[in-house]
Each structure stands twice: as structure tokens, then as C-alpha cells.
Amino acid sequence: MRQENRTVLSEVDVNVPSVARMYDYYLGGKDNYAVDRAAVAELDKVVPSTKPLAINNRRFLQRVVRVLAEDYGVRQFLDHGSGLPTQDNVHQVAQGIDPKSRVVYVDDDPIVLAHGRALLQEDDRTVVIQADMRRTDQIFANEEVQRLIDLSQPVAALFVSVMHCIPDPGPEELVKQITERLPSGSFVVINQLVSENKETRDFVTNFMDESTQGHWGRVREPHEVERYFDGLEVLEPGLGRINHWRQESELALKEPDTGDWYEFGGVARVP
């Protein structure tokens, strides 16, 4: 392992669960620790549908990237809160359509930075930067972002399953900050955990906030997520459960049920 990656990994706190590492465990990854697996076990006792929810979310991300690249010609992707690398990442899907596609992953978890760098050493069209996704000015000032992202051309800004990590009123402000910077014809992809069941919302919010020592926002209601899209042109089929978004077959619609909490969102164009 390169020295810079060893330095980054030395910053990882293995005593506090990480949302990125918990998600990695749900997807069958190996970049997680005992504390993450213990948190998953406790969460599953009350909401056992979390693993299929993570799977649905990953499939949505892959469909979105493919549709934006194939049908809308997007060649630039800015993935906020990207998490740990797994199979069929954004750059793999996008570059499978056009090898010249450029991708920037943004995450504030040091283990994401270390593993991302190791994965992408030979790919000069894809980078991982360590930054708080709410720091839009800092992200766009980054040299690697400026090298790869051309703001005279459409960009797809991805916020896939991350807005529930942001306290109020952060999500709405973040969407405004990013859309003000993106050129017309760009796209914003947003989904987050929601529930109409107050007991579920409160339990998951409190559990994750305590487990991650404050690195969490809250589970919200669908109508709250709809406000993120104010002023944007929502693409068909509109906003809703993400496992219904542009599925390619009736069989695919039978993705795992996630009970009374699910990922809600969609894709919108910047006017």
C-alpha cells in the first residue's frame, strides 16, 4: 500500500460505526470493521429490511448513470457521499458507455479516500477527493475537480442515499448551492430514506445519530424530499420509490420489499 494511503487509513476511527462502511457490509463488501457489523446487527433487529433497501439503492444508482450517459449524453459525474468502491461503480458504468467519461467521487470518510485511490491509480479520468459534501465552494475549488469537470458542459450531480445524513435545513440549501453552479442542461439525482411511520422515522434517526456520534440527519417524509426538487424539471416517471424508476422489465420491479421505510427520490434537469 502506498504511504499516502497508510497515512489516510491511520485516521480511521474503528471504534465508531461509519455509514459508508455499514453500507459496504450490506452490499457484501470487505472494507468494514467489527463495530460496523455490530451496528448493522442492532439495526436489523428492528428494521430487517435494510439490506434489500441497500441493494435497491445500488441498482437505482447504476440505472441512473446508464440512462444519463446513454440517453442524455452526460459525460461528467460528481458523486457526493460516494461511499466505498464496490462492483459497477459510477465510473465503470459511465466509462462502459464512453471511455472518456469523467467522474469525481466526494466523501469525508478517510477509508473511502484510501481505497478509492488504490482502485483508481491507473485511471486519470476518475478521482476521489476527501471533502464534506456540504462544502460546495471547497469542492469546486479542488484542483482535481477543476481538471476533470468542465462547467461549460452538462454535469450530473449525484446525491444518492446521502441526504438523510445531513441535518435540517441542509439538504435544501445544498441543492440550491449545487444547482447555482451547474450549467443549464445538467442533472441532479437525489434520493433519501423516508417513512410515513413516525415510530420508524424516530427509531432509525435516533439509532443512527447515536451510533455514528452525530454523523446523521434524519429519516424524512416523502413530501419533504419533494421540496429538494423545487425549481427543477423532474424527469419521467417523476418522484417516488426508487426501485420503480425506469426499470427495464416487469421482473425487475419485483425487487425486495423494504417495508415501511424506503428510498424516495428521482432525477431532475437544471433549467
Side-chain angles (χ1 to χ4, degrees):
M1 182 182 294
R2 296 171 61 180
Q3 180 59 44
E4 60 184 314
N5 284 352
R6 292 195 190 97
T7 301
V8 170
L9 283 175
S10 69
E11 301 173 9
V12 176
D13 188 346
V14 299
N15 298 308
V16 177
S18 155
V19 175
R21 299 194 307 263
M22 290 173 67
Y23 186 57
D24 173 71
Y25 180 62
Y26 275 123
L27 293 175
K30 299 179 180 179
D31 298 318
N32 49 77
Y33 297 98
V35 67
D36 307 302
R37 296 187 287 274
V40 163
E42 289 300 313
L43 185 59
D44 282 348
K45 289 178 181 178
V46 178
V47 279
S49 58
T50 310
K51 182 173 182 177
L53 188 149
I55 293 171
N56 287 352
N57 184 71
R58 193 70 190 178
R59 291 173 179 170
F60 168 70
L61 172 64
Q62 292 159 357
R63 288 197 305 277
V64 163
V65 173
R66 185 167 59 252
V67 166
L68 291 179
E70 284 186 338
D71 298 349
Y72 296 92
V74 177
R75 296 295 181 262
Q76 306 182 101
F77 296 84
L78 188 56
D79 188 1
H80 297 79
S82 55
L84 285 155
T86 182
Q87 295 181 342
D88 292 332
N89 299 285
V90 172
H91 71 282
Q92 292 167 321
V93 176
Q95 291 175 356
I97 295 165
D98 185 342
K100 295 181 180 179
S101 296
R102 303 181 300 282
V103 178
V104 175
Y105 295 111
V106 181
D107 206 292
D108 62 358
D109 190 328
I111 197 172
V112 173
L113 179 63
H115 285 275
R117 281 177 173 171
L119 177 70
L120 300 170
Q121 286 181 23
E122 306 302 322
D123 184 353
D124 66 355
R125 297 182 185 276
T126 308
V127 298
V128 183
I129 66 170
Q130 185 177 5
D132 186 327
M133 62 183 168
R134 294 169 293 182
R135 305 292 184 252
T136 303
D137 289 343
Q138 176 187 346
I139 291 169
F140 279 90
N142 183 281
E143 291 183 0
E144 293 284 24
V145 175
Q146 293 181 350
R147 178 176 71 85
L148 289 179
I149 302 298
D150 178 2
L151 291 178
S152 69
Q153 300 296 322
V155 180
L158 311 179
F159 297 93
V160 175
S161 195
V162 294
M163 291 302 197
H164 44 252
C165 297
I166 301 177
D168 297 325
E172 291 94 332
E173 293 181 357
L174 178 54
V175 175
K176 290 178 182 178
Q177 289 173 11
I178 194 77
T179 54
E180 286 174 354
R181 283 184 169 273
L182 297 180
S184 176
S186 292
F187 296 87
V188 180
V189 182
I190 308 170
N191 64 282
Q192 82 141 82
L193 292 168
V194 301
S195 178
E196 286 92 4
N197 186 320
K198 186 177 185 301
E199 184 177 351
T200 299
R201 291 198 306 273
D202 291 347
F203 171 79
V204 176
T205 295
N206 293 335
F207 175 86
M208 290 300 297
D209 187 62
E210 181 177 349
S211 298
T212 63
Q213 296 188 3
H215 292 84
W216 190 253
R218 67 182 176 91
V219 178
R220 296 180 171 91
E221 296 181 77
H223 71 87
E224 296 180 277
V225 180
E226 290 175 352
R227 293 202 299 265
Y228 303 167
F229 293 87
D230 287 350
L232 302 176
E233 301 170 355
V234 177
L235 302 188
E236 293 295 335
L239 306 179
R241 289 177 181 256
I242 60 170
N243 53 313
H244 295 169
W245 195 88
R246 299 204 185 187
Q247 283 286 7
E248 294 155 350
S249 69
E250 287 299 316
L251 181 62
L253 283 171
K254 298 178 181 178
E255 288 184 345
D257 181 29
T258 60
D260 65 356
W261 74 319
Y262 54 95
E263 292 273 4
F264 179 94
V267 183
R269 184 188 285 108
V270 178

Tab-separated table of all heavy atoms in Angstrom, residues 74-80 90-91 94-95 100-106 124-129 136-158 178 181-184 186-187:
chain	number	residue	atom	x	y	z
A	74	VAL	N	-24.624	12.537	-21.009
A	74	VAL	CA	-23.817	13.099	-19.917
A	74	VAL	C	-22.480	12.375	-19.849
A	74	VAL	O	-22.422	11.141	-19.891
A	74	VAL	CB	-24.555	12.982	-18.569
A	74	VAL	CG1	-23.679	13.500	-17.437
A	74	VAL	CG2	-25.872	13.741	-18.630
A	75	ARG	N	-21.412	13.140	-19.730
A	75	ARG	CA	-20.066	12.569	-19.672
A	75	ARG	C	-19.298	13.026	-18.435
A	75	ARG	O	-18.111	12.725	-18.304
A	75	ARG	CB	-19.288	12.958	-20.942
A	75	ARG	CG	-19.885	12.386	-22.228
A	75	ARG	CD	-19.806	10.866	-22.246
A	75	ARG	NE	-20.354	10.278	-23.472
A	75	ARG	CZ	-21.589	9.786	-23.582
A	75	ARG	NH1	-22.422	9.842	-22.533
A	75	ARG	NH2	-22.001	9.251	-24.710
A	76	GLN	N	-19.980	13.750	-17.535
A	76	GLN	CA	-19.329	14.236	-16.308
A	76	GLN	C	-20.238	13.933	-15.115
A	76	GLN	O	-21.423	14.293	-15.136
A	76	GLN	CB	-19.091	15.740	-16.376
A	76	GLN	CG	-18.317	16.203	-17.603
A	76	GLN	CD	-18.075	17.700	-17.564
A	76	GLN	OE1	-17.000	18.173	-17.223
A	76	GLN	NE2	-19.096	18.472	-17.903
A	77	PHE	N	-19.671	13.300	-14.098
A	77	PHE	CA	-20.445	12.908	-12.929
A	77	PHE	C	-19.712	13.340	-11.660
A	77	PHE	O	-18.511	13.083	-11.510
A	77	PHE	CB	-20.662	11.397	-12.907
A	77	PHE	CG	-21.483	10.891	-14.055
A	77	PHE	CD1	-20.891	10.623	-15.291
A	77	PHE	CD2	-22.849	10.698	-13.922
A	77	PHE	CE1	-21.646	10.165	-16.367
A	77	PHE	CE2	-23.618	10.241	-14.991
A	77	PHE	CZ	-23.004	9.971	-16.212
A	78	LEU	N	-20.464	13.988	-10.763
A	78	LEU	CA	-19.931	14.431	-9.481
A	78	LEU	C	-20.741	13.708	-8.408
A	78	LEU	O	-21.889	14.060	-8.129
A	78	LEU	CB	-20.073	15.947	-9.366
A	78	LEU	CG	-19.427	16.663	-8.181
A	78	LEU	CD1	-17.927	16.371	-8.110
A	78	LEU	CD2	-19.671	18.164	-8.275
A	79	ASP	N	-20.143	12.683	-7.813
A	79	ASP	CA	-20.851	11.773	-6.915
A	79	ASP	C	-20.572	12.145	-5.456
A	79	ASP	O	-19.500	11.870	-4.931
A	79	ASP	CB	-20.405	10.337	-7.198
A	79	ASP	CG	-21.225	9.309	-6.439
A	79	ASP	OD1	-22.152	9.702	-5.714
A	79	ASP	OD2	-20.930	8.105	-6.571
A	80	HIS	N	-21.558	12.762	-4.802
A	80	HIS	CA	-21.412	13.223	-3.424
A	80	HIS	C	-21.753	12.111	-2.437
A	80	HIS	O	-22.770	11.443	-2.571
A	80	HIS	CB	-22.341	14.409	-3.160
A	80	HIS	CG	-22.047	15.608	-3.983
A	80	HIS	ND1	-22.442	15.717	-5.306
A	80	HIS	CD2	-21.406	16.770	-3.681
A	80	HIS	CE1	-22.059	16.890	-5.774
A	80	HIS	NE2	-21.424	17.556	-4.812
A	90	VAL	N	-19.875	4.164	-10.393
A	90	VAL	CA	-20.293	5.177	-11.354
A	90	VAL	C	-19.333	5.238	-12.538
A	90	VAL	O	-19.756	5.251	-13.697
A	90	VAL	CB	-20.402	6.557	-10.672
A	90	VAL	CG1	-20.635	7.645	-11.715
A	90	VAL	CG2	-21.521	6.555	-9.641
A	91	HIS	N	-18.037	5.272	-12.272
A	91	HIS	CA	-17.084	5.404	-13.382
A	91	HIS	C	-17.093	4.173	-14.283
A	91	HIS	O	-16.895	4.275	-15.495
A	91	HIS	CB	-15.675	5.684	-12.856
A	91	HIS	CG	-15.002	4.534	-12.182
A	91	HIS	ND1	-15.304	4.155	-10.893
A	91	HIS	CD2	-14.038	3.668	-12.617
A	91	HIS	CE1	-14.552	3.114	-10.556
A	91	HIS	NE2	-13.783	2.800	-11.583
A	94	ALA	N	-20.374	4.504	-16.432
A	94	ALA	CA	-20.264	5.620	-17.384
A	94	ALA	C	-19.195	5.361	-18.441
A	94	ALA	O	-19.416	5.609	-19.641
A	94	ALA	CB	-19.959	6.909	-16.629
A	95	GLN	N	-18.039	4.856	-18.023
A	95	GLN	CA	-16.957	4.626	-18.972
A	95	GLN	C	-17.205	3.391	-19.829
A	95	GLN	O	-16.596	3.235	-20.880
A	95	GLN	CB	-15.632	4.527	-18.226
A	95	GLN	CG	-15.213	5.856	-17.624
A	95	GLN	CD	-13.963	5.777	-16.764
A	95	GLN	OE1	-13.417	4.695	-16.541
A	95	GLN	NE2	-13.525	6.914	-16.259
A	100	LYS	N	-14.330	8.064	-22.304
A	100	LYS	CA	-13.863	9.414	-21.993
A	100	LYS	C	-14.656	10.069	-20.864
A	100	LYS	O	-14.374	11.211	-20.485
A	100	LYS	CB	-13.940	10.288	-23.250
A	100	LYS	CG	-13.001	9.838	-24.368
A	100	LYS	CD	-13.109	10.752	-25.578
A	100	LYS	CE	-12.182	10.301	-26.700
A	100	LYS	NZ	-12.300	11.169	-27.903
A	101	SER	N	-15.650	9.376	-20.330
A	101	SER	CA	-16.442	9.925	-19.223
A	101	SER	C	-15.544	10.206	-18.029
A	101	SER	O	-14.594	9.467	-17.741
A	101	SER	CB	-17.541	8.940	-18.823
A	101	SER	OG	-18.460	8.754	-19.880
A	102	ARG	N	-15.881	11.281	-17.305
A	102	ARG	CA	-15.073	11.715	-16.174
A	102	ARG	C	-15.927	11.699	-14.892
A	102	ARG	O	-17.085	12.147	-14.915
A	102	ARG	CB	-14.506	13.118	-16.422
A	102	ARG	CG	-13.700	13.169	-17.706
A	102	ARG	CD	-13.104	14.532	-17.978
A	102	ARG	NE	-14.094	15.590	-18.116
A	102	ARG	CZ	-14.825	15.814	-19.194
A	102	ARG	NH1	-14.713	15.016	-20.250
A	102	ARG	NH2	-15.678	16.817	-19.251
A	103	VAL	N	-15.326	11.211	-13.819
A	103	VAL	CA	-16.073	11.040	-12.577
A	103	VAL	C	-15.242	11.541	-11.400
A	103	VAL	O	-14.051	11.228	-11.280
A	103	VAL	CB	-16.437	9.559	-12.343
A	103	VAL	CG1	-17.166	9.382	-11.009
A	103	VAL	CG2	-17.290	9.029	-13.485
A	104	VAL	N	-15.896	12.317	-10.532
A	104	VAL	CA	-15.287	12.742	-9.264
A	104	VAL	C	-16.142	12.192	-8.136
A	104	VAL	O	-17.341	12.450	-8.073
A	104	VAL	CB	-15.212	14.281	-9.155
A	104	VAL	CG1	-14.675	14.674	-7.774
A	104	VAL	CG2	-14.331	14.862	-10.251
A	105	TYR	N	-15.511	11.421	-7.261
A	105	TYR	CA	-16.169	10.920	-6.057
A	105	TYR	C	-15.811	11.825	-4.886
A	105	TYR	O	-14.638	12.186	-4.703
A	105	TYR	CB	-15.705	9.505	-5.735
A	105	TYR	CG	-16.092	8.451	-6.756
A	105	TYR	CD1	-15.126	7.841	-7.565
A	105	TYR	CD2	-17.417	8.051	-6.892
A	105	TYR	CE1	-15.475	6.863	-8.482
A	105	TYR	CE2	-17.773	7.075	-7.819
A	105	TYR	CZ	-16.801	6.479	-8.606
A	105	TYR	OH	-17.153	5.510	-9.514
A	106	VAL	N	-16.817	12.176	-4.086
A	106	VAL	CA	-16.609	13.055	-2.932
A	106	VAL	C	-17.094	12.331	-1.683
A	106	VAL	O	-18.245	11.884	-1.628
A	106	VAL	CB	-17.390	14.374	-3.084
A	106	VAL	CG1	-17.138	15.272	-1.878
A	106	VAL	CG2	-17.028	15.075	-4.385
A	124	ASP	N	-6.881	8.175	-15.025
A	124	ASP	CA	-6.722	9.619	-14.877
A	124	ASP	C	-8.005	10.383	-15.164
A	124	ASP	O	-8.036	11.614	-15.101
A	124	ASP	CB	-5.569	10.146	-15.741
A	124	ASP	CG	-5.842	9.993	-17.242
A	124	ASP	OD1	-6.887	9.399	-17.608
A	124	ASP	OD2	-5.004	10.452	-18.033
A	125	ARG	N	-9.087	9.671	-15.478
A	125	ARG	CA	-10.380	10.327	-15.708
A	125	ARG	C	-11.315	10.195	-14.508
A	125	ARG	O	-12.463	10.637	-14.565
A	125	ARG	CB	-11.059	9.741	-16.955
A	125	ARG	CG	-10.276	9.987	-18.242
A	125	ARG	CD	-11.016	9.439	-19.448
A	125	ARG	NE	-10.220	9.574	-20.660
A	125	ARG	CZ	-10.150	10.669	-21.407
A	125	ARG	NH1	-10.870	11.713	-21.066
A	125	ARG	NH2	-9.397	10.710	-22.482
A	126	THR	N	-10.834	9.580	-13.433
A	126	THR	CA	-11.639	9.387	-12.234
A	126	THR	C	-10.792	9.672	-11.001
A	126	THR	O	-9.659	9.199	-10.902
A	126	THR	CB	-12.172	7.939	-12.156
A	126	THR	OG1	-12.830	7.604	-13.378
A	126	THR	CG2	-13.137	7.774	-11.006
A	127	VAL	N	-11.353	10.451	-10.059
A	127	VAL	CA	-10.633	10.762	-8.833
A	127	VAL	C	-11.568	10.654	-7.631
A	127	VAL	O	-12.789	10.700	-7.769
A	127	VAL	CB	-10.019	12.185	-8.856
A	127	VAL	CG1	-9.002	12.321	-9.966
A	127	VAL	CG2	-11.100	13.246	-8.962
A	128	VAL	N	-10.953	10.510	-6.465
A	128	VAL	CA	-11.665	10.558	-5.194
A	128	VAL	C	-11.082	11.698	-4.386
A	128	VAL	O	-9.858	11.788	-4.240
A	128	VAL	CB	-11.505	9.245	-4.398
A	128	VAL	CG1	-12.323	9.299	-3.113
A	128	VAL	CG2	-11.921	8.048	-5.234
A	129	ILE	N	-11.945	12.584	-3.896
A	129	ILE	CA	-11.454	13.651	-3.032
A	129	ILE	C	-12.146	13.550	-1.679
A	129	ILE	O	-13.296	13.130	-1.586
A	129	ILE	CB	-11.681	15.051	-3.646
A	129	ILE	CG1	-13.179	15.381	-3.759
A	129	ILE	CG2	-10.999	15.164	-5.007
A	129	ILE	CD1	-13.456	16.836	-4.129
A	136	THR	N	-19.683	23.103	-0.924
A	136	THR	CA	-19.690	23.200	-2.381
A	136	THR	C	-18.531	24.045	-2.904
A	136	THR	O	-17.877	23.690	-3.889
A	136	THR	CB	-21.029	23.791	-2.862
A	136	THR	OG1	-22.087	22.968	-2.365
A	136	THR	CG2	-21.099	23.826	-4.371
A	137	ASP	N	-18.267	25.177	-2.271
A	137	ASP	CA	-17.170	26.047	-2.720
A	137	ASP	C	-15.841	25.316	-2.651
A	137	ASP	O	-15.016	25.412	-3.572
A	137	ASP	CB	-17.106	27.313	-1.861
A	137	ASP	CG	-18.261	28.255	-2.138
A	137	ASP	OD1	-18.917	28.104	-3.195
A	137	ASP	OD2	-18.531	29.139	-1.296
A	138	GLN	N	-15.617	24.592	-1.571
A	138	GLN	CA	-14.364	23.855	-1.402
A	138	GLN	C	-14.231	22.767	-2.466
A	138	GLN	O	-13.143	22.568	-3.028
A	138	GLN	CB	-14.324	23.220	-0.014
A	138	GLN	CG	-13.098	22.346	0.244
A	138	GLN	CD	-13.184	21.606	1.567
A	138	GLN	OE1	-14.001	21.913	2.422
A	138	GLN	NE2	-12.334	20.606	1.728
A	139	ILE	N	-15.313	22.083	-2.752
A	139	ILE	CA	-15.281	21.006	-3.746
A	139	ILE	C	-14.941	21.563	-5.123
A	139	ILE	O	-14.060	21.056	-5.820
A	139	ILE	CB	-16.627	20.259	-3.765
A	139	ILE	CG1	-16.801	19.471	-2.459
A	139	ILE	CG2	-16.719	19.327	-4.975
A	139	ILE	CD1	-18.184	18.912	-2.246
A	140	PHE	N	-15.614	22.643	-5.538
A	140	PHE	CA	-15.374	23.179	-6.873
A	140	PHE	C	-14.027	23.890	-6.985
A	140	PHE	O	-13.536	24.102	-8.095
A	140	PHE	CB	-16.514	24.107	-7.281
A	140	PHE	CG	-17.716	23.373	-7.799
A	140	PHE	CD1	-18.727	22.973	-6.940
A	140	PHE	CD2	-17.833	23.061	-9.136
A	140	PHE	CE1	-19.834	22.293	-7.407
A	140	PHE	CE2	-18.934	22.366	-9.626
A	140	PHE	CZ	-19.935	21.983	-8.753
A	141	ALA	N	-13.432	24.242	-5.845
A	141	ALA	CA	-12.095	24.856	-5.872
A	141	ALA	C	-10.988	23.812	-5.925
A	141	ALA	O	-9.831	24.145	-6.167
A	141	ALA	CB	-11.904	25.742	-4.638
A	142	ASN	N	-11.334	22.551	-5.714
A	142	ASN	CA	-10.342	21.479	-5.716
A	142	ASN	C	-9.692	21.354	-7.098
A	142	ASN	O	-10.380	21.384	-8.128
A	142	ASN	CB	-11.028	20.167	-5.329
A	142	ASN	CG	-10.057	19.003	-5.232
A	142	ASN	OD1	-9.657	18.435	-6.236
A	142	ASN	ND2	-9.706	18.658	-4.016
A	143	GLU	N	-8.386	21.207	-7.129
A	143	GLU	CA	-7.658	21.150	-8.397
A	143	GLU	C	-8.108	19.985	-9.274
A	143	GLU	O	-8.207	20.114	-10.496
A	143	GLU	CB	-6.154	21.047	-8.129
A	143	GLU	CG	-5.549	22.311	-7.545
A	143	GLU	CD	-4.046	22.189	-7.351
A	143	GLU	OE1	-3.503	21.101	-7.691
A	143	GLU	OE2	-3.422	23.147	-6.873
A	144	GLU	N	-8.371	18.847	-8.649
A	144	GLU	CA	-8.788	17.680	-9.432
A	144	GLU	C	-10.188	17.875	-10.019
A	144	GLU	O	-10.469	17.441	-11.141
A	144	GLU	CB	-8.751	16.421	-8.558
A	144	GLU	CG	-7.354	15.997	-8.136
A	144	GLU	CD	-6.586	15.326	-9.273
A	144	GLU	OE1	-6.908	15.566	-10.456
A	144	GLU	OE2	-5.664	14.554	-8.979
A	145	VAL	N	-11.051	18.519	-9.258
A	145	VAL	CA	-12.387	18.815	-9.771
A	145	VAL	C	-12.284	19.774	-10.951
A	145	VAL	O	-12.932	19.578	-11.993
A	145	VAL	CB	-13.280	19.401	-8.665
A	145	VAL	CG1	-14.634	19.829	-9.231
A	145	VAL	CG2	-13.480	18.385	-7.542
A	146	GLN	N	-11.462	20.784	-10.819
A	146	GLN	CA	-11.288	21.745	-11.909
A	146	GLN	C	-10.654	21.093	-13.140
A	146	GLN	O	-10.944	21.483	-14.271
A	146	GLN	CB	-10.445	22.915	-11.425
A	146	GLN	CG	-11.144	23.761	-10.374
A	146	GLN	CD	-10.319	24.946	-9.918
A	146	GLN	OE1	-9.138	25.064	-10.235
A	146	GLN	NE2	-10.942	25.836	-9.154
A	147	ARG	N	-9.817	20.099	-12.918
A	147	ARG	CA	-9.189	19.386	-14.038
A	147	ARG	C	-10.197	18.534	-14.805
A	147	ARG	O	-10.151	18.471	-16.042
A	147	ARG	CB	-8.056	18.495	-13.516
A	147	ARG	CG	-7.361	17.662	-14.598
A	147	ARG	CD	-6.193	16.881	-14.023
A	147	ARG	NE	-6.615	15.799	-13.162
A	147	ARG	CZ	-6.947	14.571	-13.595
A	147	ARG	NH1	-6.930	14.300	-14.902
A	147	ARG	NH2	-7.295	13.630	-12.738
A	148	LEU	N	-11.120	17.909	-14.094
A	148	LEU	CA	-11.997	16.942	-14.723
A	148	LEU	C	-13.384	17.472	-15.091
A	148	LEU	O	-14.008	16.977	-16.021
A	148	LEU	CB	-12.167	15.721	-13.805
A	148	LEU	CG	-10.955	14.800	-13.666
A	148	LEU	CD1	-11.260	13.664	-12.705
A	148	LEU	CD2	-10.528	14.241	-15.022
A	149	ILE	N	-13.876	18.450	-14.340
A	149	ILE	CA	-15.244	18.928	-14.559
A	149	ILE	C	-15.238	20.232	-15.336
A	149	ILE	O	-14.724	21.248	-14.870
A	149	ILE	CB	-15.991	19.107	-13.222
A	149	ILE	CG1	-16.025	17.786	-12.446
A	149	ILE	CG2	-17.398	19.634	-13.472
A	149	ILE	CD1	-16.753	16.649	-13.144
A	150	ASP	N	-15.819	20.192	-16.528
A	150	ASP	CA	-15.932	21.353	-17.403
A	150	ASP	C	-17.324	21.949	-17.223
A	150	ASP	O	-18.324	21.369	-17.672
A	150	ASP	CB	-15.700	20.921	-18.845
A	150	ASP	CG	-15.856	22.057	-19.845
A	150	ASP	OD1	-16.105	23.205	-19.416
A	150	ASP	OD2	-15.748	21.784	-21.066
A	151	LEU	N	-17.398	23.110	-16.593
A	151	LEU	CA	-18.685	23.715	-16.286
A	151	LEU	C	-19.337	24.416	-17.477
A	151	LEU	O	-20.374	25.058	-17.324
A	151	LEU	CB	-18.537	24.680	-15.113
A	151	LEU	CG	-18.233	24.009	-13.760
A	151	LEU	CD1	-18.047	25.047	-12.670
A	151	LEU	CD2	-19.345	23.034	-13.388
A	152	SER	N	-18.758	24.251	-18.642
A	152	SER	CA	-19.439	24.736	-19.847
A	152	SER	C	-20.270	23.619	-20.468
A	152	SER	O	-20.988	23.850	-21.449
A	152	SER	CB	-18.425	25.251	-20.870
A	152	SER	OG	-17.659	24.186	-21.418
A	153	GLN	N	-20.172	22.405	-19.895
A	153	GLN	CA	-20.895	21.249	-20.387
A	153	GLN	C	-21.753	20.652	-19.261
A	153	GLN	O	-21.451	20.833	-18.080
A	153	GLN	CB	-19.917	20.184	-20.908
A	153	GLN	CG	-19.035	20.644	-22.053
A	153	GLN	CD	-19.841	20.967	-23.297
A	153	GLN	OE1	-20.816	20.284	-23.609
A	153	GLN	NE2	-19.439	22.011	-24.021
A	154	PRO	N	-22.836	19.942	-19.601
A	154	PRO	CA	-23.699	19.365	-18.564
A	154	PRO	C	-22.954	18.438	-17.608
A	154	PRO	O	-22.043	17.705	-18.007
A	154	PRO	CB	-24.748	18.589	-19.378
A	154	PRO	CG	-24.769	19.266	-20.709
A	154	PRO	CD	-23.359	19.696	-20.965
A	155	VAL	N	-23.358	18.510	-16.363
A	155	VAL	CA	-22.790	17.678	-15.295
A	155	VAL	C	-23.946	16.978	-14.586
A	155	VAL	O	-25.018	17.569	-14.415
A	155	VAL	CB	-22.008	18.536	-14.277
A	155	VAL	CG1	-21.427	17.660	-13.162
A	155	VAL	CG2	-20.916	19.342	-14.965
A	156	ALA	N	-23.725	15.749	-14.160
A	156	ALA	CA	-24.700	15.064	-13.315
A	156	ALA	C	-24.183	15.076	-11.888
A	156	ALA	O	-23.127	14.504	-11.598
A	156	ALA	CB	-24.926	13.636	-13.789
A	157	ALA	N	-24.898	15.761	-11.003
A	157	ALA	CA	-24.543	15.800	-9.581
A	157	ALA	C	-25.380	14.749	-8.863
A	157	ALA	O	-26.609	14.804	-8.882
A	157	ALA	CB	-24.806	17.185	-9.002
A	158	LEU	N	-24.714	13.792	-8.257
A	158	LEU	CA	-25.394	12.676	-7.609
A	158	LEU	C	-25.401	12.851	-6.094
A	158	LEU	O	-24.358	13.095	-5.484
A	158	LEU	CB	-24.695	11.357	-7.958
A	158	LEU	CG	-24.382	11.103	-9.438
A	158	LEU	CD1	-23.661	9.764	-9.598
A	158	LEU	CD2	-25.645	11.133	-10.277
A	178	ILE	N	-25.572	23.731	-5.304
A	178	ILE	CA	-25.030	22.982	-6.437
A	178	ILE	C	-25.682	23.406	-7.747
A	178	ILE	O	-25.011	23.565	-8.773
A	178	ILE	CB	-25.167	21.461	-6.208
A	178	ILE	CG1	-24.295	20.683	-7.204
A	178	ILE	CG2	-26.594	20.989	-6.335
A	178	ILE	CD1	-22.846	20.662	-6.868
A	181	ARG	N	-24.349	26.475	-9.441
A	181	ARG	CA	-23.042	26.343	-10.079
A	181	ARG	C	-23.092	25.544	-11.383
A	181	ARG	O	-22.224	25.702	-12.234
A	181	ARG	CB	-22.047	25.654	-9.124
A	181	ARG	CG	-21.524	26.580	-8.032
A	181	ARG	CD	-20.490	25.834	-7.204
A	181	ARG	NE	-19.756	26.720	-6.304
A	181	ARG	CZ	-18.665	27.393	-6.636
A	181	ARG	NH1	-18.187	27.302	-7.882
A	181	ARG	NH2	-18.048	28.160	-5.772
A	182	LEU	N	-24.084	24.679	-11.508
A	182	LEU	CA	-24.131	23.805	-12.676
A	182	LEU	C	-24.701	24.527	-13.891
A	182	LEU	O	-25.620	25.330	-13.767
A	182	LEU	CB	-24.982	22.576	-12.370
A	182	LEU	CG	-24.490	21.654	-11.257
A	182	LEU	CD1	-25.451	20.485	-11.091
A	182	LEU	CD2	-23.073	21.150	-11.542
A	183	PRO	N	-24.181	24.226	-15.082
A	183	PRO	CA	-24.724	24.846	-16.293
A	183	PRO	C	-26.120	24.305	-16.616
A	183	PRO	O	-26.490	23.205	-16.198
A	183	PRO	CB	-23.718	24.443	-17.376
A	183	PRO	CG	-23.081	23.197	-16.866
A	183	PRO	CD	-23.028	23.350	-15.374
A	184	SER	N	-26.882	25.085	-17.342
A	184	SER	CA	-28.201	24.659	-17.791
A	184	SER	C	-28.075	23.350	-18.565
A	184	SER	O	-27.138	23.160	-19.341
A	184	SER	CB	-28.824	25.738	-18.687
A	184	SER	OG	-30.060	25.316	-19.201
A	186	SER	N	-27.778	20.476	-17.007
A	186	SER	CA	-27.186	19.498	-16.099
A	186	SER	C	-28.301	18.732	-15.384
A	186	SER	O	-29.487	19.043	-15.525
A	186	SER	CB	-26.300	20.203	-15.068
A	186	SER	OG	-25.151	20.760	-15.681
A	187	PHE	N	-27.909	17.750	-14.598
A	187	PHE	CA	-28.881	16.918	-13.912
A	187	PHE	C	-28.518	16.782	-12.433
A	187	PHE	O	-27.342	16.826	-12.066
A	187	PHE	CB	-28.949	15.530	-14.539
A	187	PHE	CG	-29.445	15.540	-15.958
A	187	PHE	CD1	-28.559	15.723	-17.014
A	187	PHE	CD2	-30.795	15.398	-16.240
A	187	PHE	CE1	-29.006	15.752	-18.320
A	187	PHE	CE2	-31.250	15.430	-17.544
A	187	PHE	CZ	-30.358	15.607	-18.585
